[in-house]
Amino acid sequence: RRVLFRSQLTLRHDRVTAVLGIPIDPAQQTRFLRSLGLDPVQESPASSTYAVPTWRVDLKREVDLIEEIARL
């Protein structure tokens, strides 16, 4: 099955901590987002960029990714 990707979103790891008020390891952030069908396309110590599948029309901004991390 071929997966189509609509866009890419960048997640700053320190922003997750700032918004949620608790530290979450960047590797754990990636595991959470991968479990939702997002594929990392670029990673650095400070941020990761994810390809967003076409069926995830609700993911448009960095804060949407943070919300998904908080939910999981």
Side-chain angles (χ1 to χ4, degrees), residues 7 16 20 22 25 28 37 40-41 48 52 57 64 66:
S7 63
V16 174
L20 299 182
I22 58 169
D25 182 65
Q28 183 64 47
V41 294
S48 296
V52 180
V57 296
D64 297 327
I66 296 171

Side-chain angles (χ1 to χ4, degrees), residues 29-58:
Q29 294 174 28
T30 297
R31 282 192 292 277
F32 285 152
L33 295 174
R34 287 189 88 132
S35 75
L36 298 174
L38 284 82
D39 288 328
V41 294
Q42 183 177 1
E43 296 181 276
S44 75
S47 67
S48 296
T49 300
Y50 296 89
V52 180
T54 55
W55 69 84
R56 292 303 311 259
V57 296
D58 58 318

